[in-house]
């Protein structure tokens, strides 16, 4: 990262009065992500600034301390189970990280925040090792154990896998039978986190003990945990307890002293919960509070939006309000959780480079790509694709119901499907395939399909047919290209609910929605995976072809509005018509 970006961020923090800084290396940026341009529009030539000045967290710690002295209270990350970056779980361990952690503290770090964990004995062992380390640098430094509130079963599995964090079998056994009921999962998750906190508090410590919550911009579960664990001071109660709370959301901090473990206060995050109001009474209001959705905008993203083999990597949950769960790729950009990171890995792909080559080979033609998608849809290898989540190793039961329709698009048109769902008209919420949410409810779905198709197909065949007067009232579409090009049948404010449910004692819950801002965000990620895939190929021919693919296809999402009995198949009839006529039209075009 270039120094100018670091300086701008630190100066802005200083102006705003933010004094607690968590210094992380972060994921390596993709090419051009942090490119700076001069005033005349030319790319800046790095003469005085070294592009590689900030490679590791210690570089940032040293720089902040050298330039700002004691103004900032600097935190750094540490890993009770070992750092998971590009390593195999069998090879990671805190022993490998300790020399680097010592260097970060000696460079000026004031407090430590751990990676999240669920096995308390691993944390307490790690804390004991730090406190008793011969270097003596950890004796008095505040250590904040990192806690991940459980918002959703699939997010839990995905995130812990990426972080190589081990989940106790007993917790998985508790959550597995209720994984489709997000409210129940949340309740059990709150109990689990409260137990973890109580176990940690029971361990004697001579130093103040804090807790860092990875809230992902979602505060309700955290508020319940704070209340249940009595971590919220009562009004006018003097702060004599050794327990404190932090969140990854920066807040205005007061009462920070110096360095090397002398921070008097680790700032509380902006937690909007009735019992937390007193904590924030003298603080600037959270920015996100100004645009929270109202009751008639209570949507949540879906874990059931199906990729051919399981789920899109960036989907989230099936049932709740926007405040309860992170947005998935189909979500409302007005949500304070929009843009929540879903990966702790430098790559967006759901596997390592070696696994990618073993799964997908080194394709260098449209036929090779089509064969991969068709084999996957048929339930054969590969078990997942670059746009798949790796939390489920098999084709989802819901996708299997429309397998033949997806195969027809893939094999006849070379349209590579990455997400889809069939129509559902009022099935019980306990249905083993389509069900979600609490029992005694009913669920509904509009059919949709998302796929990559050649630009020529989109411009010459598909878009003209979808926009024809006979078809346009029955569908909606979104289409994007990596250049930023975008087409849609809808205006920019339109929001399409494609999965919703009716439950006892609740308002209608909309679980999956499609709208422009989130689709554009997903386009950036989806097209980025072409580049990631290309980069991991050893064959120059395959790399060149995959990079070419990225620029020669369009990502299209088509929604069918008919979902009632007898209407649900209409979307597939429309697409089949285009598919049956595509080859002849393309041949005619090529002859002209």
């Amino acid at each position: 990262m270039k120094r100018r970006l670091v300086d701008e961020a630190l100066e802005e923090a200083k102006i705003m009065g933010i004094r607690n800084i968590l210094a992380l290396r972060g994921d390596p940026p993709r090419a051009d992500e942090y490119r700076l341009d001069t005033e005349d529009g030319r790319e800046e030539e790095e003469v005085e600034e070294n592009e590689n000045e900030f490679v590791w967290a210690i570089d940032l710690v040293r720089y902040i301390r050298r330039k700002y002295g004691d103004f900032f209270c600097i935190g750094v990350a540490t890993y009770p189970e070992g750092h998971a970056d590009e390593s195999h779980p069998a090879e990671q361990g805190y022993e490998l990280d300790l020399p680097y952690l010592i260097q970060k503290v000696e460079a000026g770090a004031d407090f430590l925040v751990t990676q999240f964990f669920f096995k308390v004995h691993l944390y307490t062992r790690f804390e004991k090792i730090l406190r008793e380390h011969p270097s003596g640098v950890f004796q008095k430094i505040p250590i904040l154990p990192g806690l991940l509130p459980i918002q959703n079963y699939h997010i839990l599995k995905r995130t812990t896998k990426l972080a190589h964090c081990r989940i106790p079998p007993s917790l998985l056994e508790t959550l597995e039978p209720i994984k489709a009921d997000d409210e129940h999962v949340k309740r059990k998750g709150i109990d689990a986190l409260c137990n973890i906190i109580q176990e940690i508090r029971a361990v004697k410590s001579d130093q103040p003990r804090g807790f860092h919550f990875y809230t992902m911009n979602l505060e309700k579960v955290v508020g319940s945990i704070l209340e249940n664990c009595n971590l919220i001071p009562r009004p006018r109660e003097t702060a004599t307890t050794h327990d404190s709370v932090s969140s990854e959301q920066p807040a205005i901090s007061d009462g920070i002293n110096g360095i090397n473990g002398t921070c008097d206060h680790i700032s509380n995050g902006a937690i909007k919960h009735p019992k937390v109001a007193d904590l924030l009474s003298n603080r600037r209001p959270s920015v996100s509070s100004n645009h929270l959705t109202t009751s008639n905008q209570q949507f949540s993203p879906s874990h059931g939006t199906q990729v051919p083999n399981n789920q899109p990597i960036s989907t989230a949950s099936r049932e709740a309000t926007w405040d309860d769960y992170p947005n998935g790729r189909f979500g409302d950009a007005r949500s304070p959780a929009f843009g929540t990171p879903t990966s702790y890995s430098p790559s967006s792909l759901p596997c390592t480079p070696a696994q990618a080559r073993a799964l997908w080979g080194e394709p260098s033609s449209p036929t090779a790509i089509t064969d991969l998608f068709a084999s996957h849809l048929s339930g054969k290898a590969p078990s997942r694709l670059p746009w798949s989540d790796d939390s489920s190793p098999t084709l989802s039961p819901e996708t299997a119901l429309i397998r033949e329709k997806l195969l027809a698009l893939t094999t006849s048109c070379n349209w590579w499907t990455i997400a889809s769902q069939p129509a559902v008209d009022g099935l019980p919420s306990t249905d083993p395939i389509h069900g979600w949410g609490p029992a005694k409810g009913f669920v509904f779905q509009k059919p949709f399909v998302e796929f990559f198709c050649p630009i020529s197909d989109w411009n010459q065949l598909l878009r003209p047919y979808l926009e024809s007067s006979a078809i346009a009232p029955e569908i909606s579409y979104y289409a994007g290209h990596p250049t930023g090009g975008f087409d849609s049948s809808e205006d920019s404010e339109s929001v399409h609910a494609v999965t919703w449910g009716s439950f006892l004692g609740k308002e209608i819950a909309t679980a999956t929605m499609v709208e422009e801002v989130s689709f554009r965000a997903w386009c950036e990620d989806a097209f980025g995976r072409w580049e990631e895939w290309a980069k991991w190929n050893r064959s120059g021919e395959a790399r060149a072809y995959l990079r070419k693919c990225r620029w020669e296809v369009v990502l299209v999402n088509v929604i069918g509005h008919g979902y009632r009995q007898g209407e649900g198949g209409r979307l597939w009839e429309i697409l089949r018509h285009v598919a049956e006529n595509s080859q002849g039209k393309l041949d005619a075009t090529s002859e002209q």
Side-chain angles (χ1 to χ4, degrees):
M1 181 180 287
K2 295 179 174 66
R3 187 190 302 175
R4 184 197 298 180
L5 290 171
V6 173
D7 286 340
E8 289 175 356
L10 291 172
E11 284 300 316
E12 185 175 354
K14 186 175 181 180
I15 291 171
M16 295 176 65
I18 297 173
R19 302 185 68 184
N20 296 335
I21 300 291
L22 185 59
L24 305 174
R25 186 202 70 176
D27 293 344
R30 294 184 174 90
D32 298 331
E33 187 172 353
Y34 291 121
R35 184 177 64 192
L36 297 175
D37 295 329
T38 58
E39 291 182 0
D40 61 5
R42 293 179 295 106
E43 185 176 350
E44 179 181 22
E45 295 182 3
E46 293 295 326
V47 178
E48 297 181 359
E49 295 183 349
N50 182 353
E51 184 175 0
N52 296 319
E53 182 173 2
F54 301 104
V55 177
W56 307 104
I58 191 173
D59 301 324
L60 189 55
V61 174
R62 287 170 176 159
Y63 182 75
I64 296 172
R65 191 60 72 211
R66 182 174 68 248
K67 184 168 183 178
Y68 292 92
D70 293 352
F71 181 83
F72 287 114
C73 183
I74 304 173
V76 295
T78 186
Y79 303 85
E81 298 180 63
H83 192 205
D85 183 22
E86 298 183 16
S87 66
H88 188 277
E91 300 170 359
Q92 73 184 62
Y94 66 85
E95 303 92 344
L96 303 175
D97 306 327
L98 270 179
Y100 306 108
L101 184 60
I102 292 171
Q103 292 175 13
K104 288 191 286 187
V105 174
E106 290 177 340
D110 297 307
F111 63 95
L112 310 180
V113 177
T114 80
Q115 173 66 284
F116 57 80
F117 58 88
F118 289 93
K119 293 192 172 185
V120 176
H121 72 278
L122 296 178
Y123 169 76
T124 55
R125 179 195 63 182
F126 181 66
E127 182 182 7
K128 185 174 186 293
I129 289 170
L130 293 186
R131 297 299 187 200
E132 298 175 356
H133 194 271
S135 68
V137 299
F138 305 115
Q139 285 184 357
K140 295 184 179 180
I141 191 168
I143 302 174
L144 302 180
L147 304 176
L148 179 70
I150 299 173
Q151 310 278 2
N152 170 276
Y153 178 82
H154 296 280
I155 294 175
L156 174 68
K157 293 293 295 291
R158 169 76 181 161
T159 308
T160 53
K161 183 177 180 66
L162 289 167
H164 296 170
C165 169
R166 286 167 281 185
I167 305 176
S170 59
L171 180 57
L172 287 176
E173 291 170 2
T174 298
L175 299 179
E176 179 70 26
I178 59 172
K179 62 183 179 181
D181 186 344
D182 291 327
E183 287 190 355
H184 202 172
V185 168
K186 272 198 308 176
R187 290 195 296 269
K188 292 297 184 181
I190 290 170
D191 292 342
L193 266 291
C194 289
N195 289 336
I196 290 173
I197 290 172
Q198 298 303 347
E199 286 187 54
I200 293 174
R201 295 173 79 180
V203 177
K204 184 178 179 181
S205 175
D206 294 329
Q207 300 301 322
R209 190 187 300 286
F211 298 97
H212 176 88
F213 289 90
Y214 291 88
T215 67
M216 305 301 187
N217 280 336
L218 303 163
E219 80 283 357
K220 287 187 176 181
V221 169
V222 179
S224 296
I225 294 170
L226 298 182
E227 181 178 357
N228 292 354
C229 292
N230 296 317
L231 289 175
I232 305 174
R234 298 185 183 280
R236 302 181 182 85
E237 180 180 289
T238 56
T240 58
T241 177
H242 275 190
D243 290 329
S244 60
V245 184
S246 82
S247 134
E248 88 277 27
Q249 294 301 308
I252 305 303
S253 175
D254 44 75
I256 302 177
N257 283 324
I259 61 173
N260 295 329
T262 59
C263 296
D264 289 340
H265 173 72
I266 306 300
S267 73
N268 293 310
I271 303 170
K272 286 186 286 295
H273 187 274
K275 297 286 186 74
V276 192
D278 294 310
L279 290 179
L280 304 176
S281 59
N282 65 339
R283 299 186 183 278
R284 185 178 303 173
S286 167
V287 175
S288 64
S289 66
N290 296 329
H291 60 272
L292 292 177
T293 56
T294 57
S295 60
N296 64 341
Q297 296 170 330
Q298 292 181 339
F299 303 113
S300 71
S302 169
H303 73 249
T305 306
Q306 301 300 334
V307 183
N309 66 323
N310 38 56
Q311 302 145 23
I313 196 169
S314 53
T315 56
S317 73
R318 272 286 194 180
E319 192 274 328
T321 68
W322 279 123
D323 284 343
D324 291 328
Y325 295 101
N327 276 345
R329 17 176 316 231
F330 299 114
D332 189 343
R334 295 165 294 185
S335 165
F338 186 76
T340 294
T342 59
S343 172
Y344 289 87
S345 167
S347 167
S348 296
L349 295 184
C351 58
T352 66
Q355 289 173 331
R357 290 189 291 270
L359 281 168
W360 309 316
E362 296 184 313
S364 57
S365 69
T367 300
I369 300 288
T370 294
D371 288 346
L372 278 174
F373 275 81
S375 180
H376 174 69
L377 283 169
S378 299
K380 304 173 184 176
S383 60
R384 56 186 183 271
L385 295 169
W387 298 271
S388 303
D389 182 3
D390 61 350
S391 63
S392 176
T394 58
L395 193 74
S396 76
E398 186 169 66
T399 302
L401 295 175
I402 51 175
R403 184 202 313 264
E404 297 305 318
K405 298 176 175 61
L406 299 174
L407 274 170
L409 296 178
T410 299
T411 57
S412 64
C413 301
N414 285 343
W415 295 352
W416 304 320
T417 62
I418 64 172
S420 58
Q421 71 178 29
V424 171
D425 184 18
L427 288 178
S429 59
T430 53
D431 183 87
I433 295 178
H434 304 288
W436 56 274
K440 299 182 180 179
F442 297 92
V443 296
F444 304 81
Q445 291 182 177
K446 287 184 178 180
F448 75 83
V449 62
E450 187 172 272
F451 53 89
F452 292 106
C453 76
I455 294 175
S456 58
D457 282 15
W458 172 247
N459 288 331
Q460 299 172 24
L461 302 174
L462 189 54
R463 182 174 61 180
Y465 186 66
L466 296 180
E467 291 180 347
S468 64
S469 59
I471 301 302
E474 300 185 68
I475 60 92
S476 294
Y477 71 76
Y478 295 85
H481 188 263
T483 59
F486 179 78
D487 282 329
S488 177
S489 60
E490 311 302 302
D491 63 61
S492 60
E493 299 300 316
S494 294
V495 176
H496 290 280
V498 294
T499 304
W500 65 97
S502 174
F503 305 97
L504 288 176
K506 298 179 181 294
E507 297 178 4
I508 297 296
T510 305
T512 310
M513 53 194 288
V514 183
E515 51 91 30
E516 179 176 329
V517 174
S518 55
F519 180 80
R520 284 177 178 268
W522 167 236
C523 277
E524 182 177 351
D525 185 0
F527 283 109
R529 297 186 194 201
W530 283 104
E531 176 62 28
E532 296 284 351
W533 187 8
K535 186 169 58 179
W536 287 358
N537 275 267
R538 291 172 175 165
S539 163
E541 184 181 5
R543 283 198 302 272
Y545 175 71
L546 291 172
R547 283 172 173 148
K548 179 184 177 184
C549 263
R550 177 187 182 187
W551 300 104
E552 294 186 349
V553 297
V554 178
L555 181 62
V556 180
N557 184 298
V558 185
I559 305 163
H561 294 308
Y563 67 92
R564 302 301 304 272
Q565 290 289 341
E567 300 175 346
R570 181 58 180 153
L571 171 65
W572 311 108
E573 292 175 5
I574 291 170
L575 295 175
R576 186 176 68 246
H577 175 83
V578 180
E580 290 174 348
N581 291 275
S582 63
Q583 192 59 51
K585 290 186 178 181
L586 286 175
D587 289 344
T589 301
S590 63
E591 292 171 0
Q592 292 176 355

